[in-house]
Amino acid sequence: MSFDVPDDCRYLDSHEWVRQADDAATIGISDFAQDELGDVVFVELPDEGAELTAGEEFGVVESIKAVSDIYAPVSGTVTAVNDALFDEPELVNDDPYGDGWLLEIELADDSELDDLLSPDEYREQIA
Amino acid sequence: MNYAQARWTDDDDRYEPLLSEKSSETVSTEDGPLPDDLTRDSLTLPDVSEPELARHYTRLSQTNYGVESGPFPLGSCTMKYNPSFTEDLAASPDAAVHPDQPTETTQGTLELLYRLQDYLGRIGGMDAVSLQPPAGAAGEFAGILVAKAYHEHNGEDRSEVLIPESAHGTNFASAAMAGYDVVSLAGDDDGRVDLDALEAAVGEETAALMLTNPNTLGLFERDIEAIAAIVHDAGGLLYYDGANLNALLGRARPGDMGFDVMHYNVHKTFATPHGGGGPGAGPIGVTDDLAPFLPAPRVAESRGGYEYVDPDRSIGKVHGFYGNWPVLLKAYAYIARLGDAGLADASAKAVLNANYLAEQIDYEIPFGPFHHEFVASAGEQDAADVAKRMLDYGVHPPTTKWPEIVPEALMTEPTEAESRRTLDQLAAAFDAVAGESDETLASAPESTAARRIDQVRAAREPRLSWQSLDE
């Protein structure tokens, strides 16, 4: 089975993705991650204004199979939270790179993006 | 062998309806004496006859499965049969005391509580016992608070609690709730505490090591004296999770192994009913050094009678009054009925039953030698599907997928209560399922009143109170 790994994102080896747009970025979990977890039933996210530190956990995603911490691929300040997930956690399964996004942040240091996996490197990891 | 659980409809999707779904009537409540702005104008109540009401609850009970239905080898939970005589005692008029009654009128109650403190202390090798915590996990939390108060009294500000990664989830939660940072310890290849990892993790920040012995794989921590020395040398305390005390009852005592604090799960070890939301009890025992910090009050002897006393530096109350007296009475009755010899016999038979059952089943058991429980692996099968399929053979399945150290874990604890014939029935169910196809497993259960539960929908759209009936 092959998993969707969009070219416009970069990845953390713990299966989070980040998509940059100027000084802002969107964060989510990968198609591979949602498939491994199975049906997501609950998502816990920080509030707007929270500070994320690259490599540290910032939330929890819970499925029927497991409860997993979510790690920040990059550092920054949370500017938007995907509130829709609180009522419809299945969006993470249905559209992990679109409607199932988790957070939008203002990047603290966009050079951190260089430390992440490229789409090809991530494809290799989950192959 | 065929099994078919009680059923009452041709439609497989139809469960016993709620009482209000059978028939209901809306009544006016306008004539009540309470202010109008605080009351509803009308109330919808079920409208059924007494026989319909009786049948409704009987049907619900028939679709349940309990220790009185058949074998219940739910690992780590010690699902003992709850002897009826303890229920009779707890329900007797003599046991009906009010917590605010003057103690001159409740001396019998106090005497039993005092004796239970003494019995539990002797069983655990502990110097002092508090009966107040209302459940196992509550006892665990209280025990960690006592350990914390002890350190603080000694001017020590320690920040970490060490816990083996295979420990019960409550250990991590209790330590975190008490404000500690949790340090998770990897086990060794044999499934026990890795002494090198422990040496590396322990230090001046170590407040305590929480340990279950035998551990969740059923293995006795053979190095317990070395473990105790490492923790104590660093100034830490050793916490005993009493979840698996049934394996040692009357034969070995946590206090003698060097443990300083412990909790007792009376619903496991001493055959009181498991919670299900009802009242429970999780007494804690400590060494003399920690006794002044126990929850208040405790029962003490005084001038030929008994009284409540508050320990000098108590952490305070962890529950109302003196704990859940009827549950404690059941535990007392069980211990008194069995006596020293009976308790030692219970642990011997619990270990024997687990080992006998393990010998009969086809699934691989990677770790041993084990005591009162074992963790088999479902191998290529999905452990959750194995569990569902076992229901079709009329037995309750083991605990599944935990501890994670065993792939597709089937954590099995038959308890001492089962006869050889029942154990053979259980083994036959295991082996029948072991030989079945993934397709058969995936469509199970078929013989139960309720079929496969939609876990995803239950988690995403929980209906937890009567209010959700309107949605």
Side-chain angles (χ1 to χ4, degrees), chain A residues 39-40 90 93, chain B residues 455-456 459-460:
Chain A
D39 293 305
V40 173
E90 58 268 31
N93 295 113
Chain B
Q455 289 177 277
V456 174
R460 284 178 180 166

Side-chain angles (χ1 to χ4, degrees), chain B residues 407-441:
Chain B
E408 299 301 327
L410 300 169
M411 188 192 209
T412 311
E413 181 183 11
T415 83
E416 71 278 10
E418 304 302 349
S419 67
R420 181 171 171 179
R421 185 160 60 169
T422 306
L423 294 171
D424 287 340
Q425 178 198 355
L426 200 44
F430 269 106
D431 288 348
V433 177
E436 288 182 319
S437 70
D438 289 347
E439 292 71 35
T440 304
L441 265 52

Side-chain angles (χ1 to χ4, degrees), chain B residues 131-282:
Chain B
L131 303 174
Q132 196 178 53
E140 209 184 290
F141 180 55
I144 288 295
L145 289 183
V146 166
K148 189 174 189 176
Y150 167 82
H151 284 309
E152 283 173 356
H153 178 74
N154 292 334
E156 300 246 21
D157 183 21
R158 291 168 177 259
S159 64
E160 294 176 352
V161 169
L162 312 183
I163 305 173
E165 61 186 6
S166 65
H168 294 102
T170 49
N171 290 181
F172 303 89
S174 295
M177 270 182 73
Y180 285 112
D181 295 328
V182 172
V183 178
S184 184
L185 289 177
D188 68 9
D189 293 341
D190 296 330
R192 295 184 174 82
V193 170
D194 183 329
L195 288 181
D196 292 335
L198 177 61
E199 289 266 21
V202 86
E204 58 188 23
E205 291 299 325
T206 304
L209 167 67
M210 299 181 80
L211 208 57
T212 310
N213 195 16
N215 66 22
T216 53
L217 291 166
L219 311 180
F220 190 80
E221 296 286 355
R222 290 184 290 226
D223 296 324
I224 185 59
E225 287 172 316
I227 291 168
I230 292 169
V231 174
H232 288 153
D233 286 350
L237 296 171
L238 202 55
Y239 184 96
Y240 183 82
D241 178 332
N244 293 343
L245 185 62
N246 205 43
L248 306 182
L249 208 50
R251 296 177 180 275
R253 309 193 309 167
D256 298 334
M257 299 174 205
F259 285 95
D260 305 287
V261 198
M262 70 176 288
H263 75 268
Y264 304 81
N265 297 97
V266 301
H267 56 284
K268 297 181 179 180
T269 320
F270 305 113
T272 66
H274 278 60

Side-chain angles (χ1 to χ4, degrees), chain B residues 50-61:
Chain B
E50 182 171 332
E52 283 176 307
L53 185 71
R55 286 168 194 157
H56 173 72
Y57 286 110
T58 300
R59 282 171 181 170
L60 289 182
S61 78

Side-chain angles (χ1 to χ4, degrees), chain B residues 254-338:
Chain B
D256 298 334
M257 299 174 205
F259 285 95
D260 305 287
V261 198
M262 70 176 288
H263 75 268
Y264 304 81
N265 297 97
V266 301
H267 56 284
K268 297 181 179 180
T269 320
F270 305 113
T272 66
H274 278 60
I284 58 175
V286 296
T287 57
D288 275 331
D289 287 348
L290 279 76
F293 305 95
L294 280 174
R298 302 179 59 228
V299 181
E301 274 183 306
S302 74
R303 297 185 300 279
Y306 299 91
E307 63 179 356
Y308 293 113
V309 293
D310 291 350
D312 293 344
R313 290 182 283 276
S314 172
I315 60 167
K317 276 187 178 298
V318 296
H319 192 58
F321 297 104
Y322 322 110
N324 285 327
W325 151 247
V327 183
L328 296 166
L329 173 59
K330 291 177 202 178
Y332 172 84
Y334 177 84
I335 294 170
R337 174 67 67 94
L338 264 63

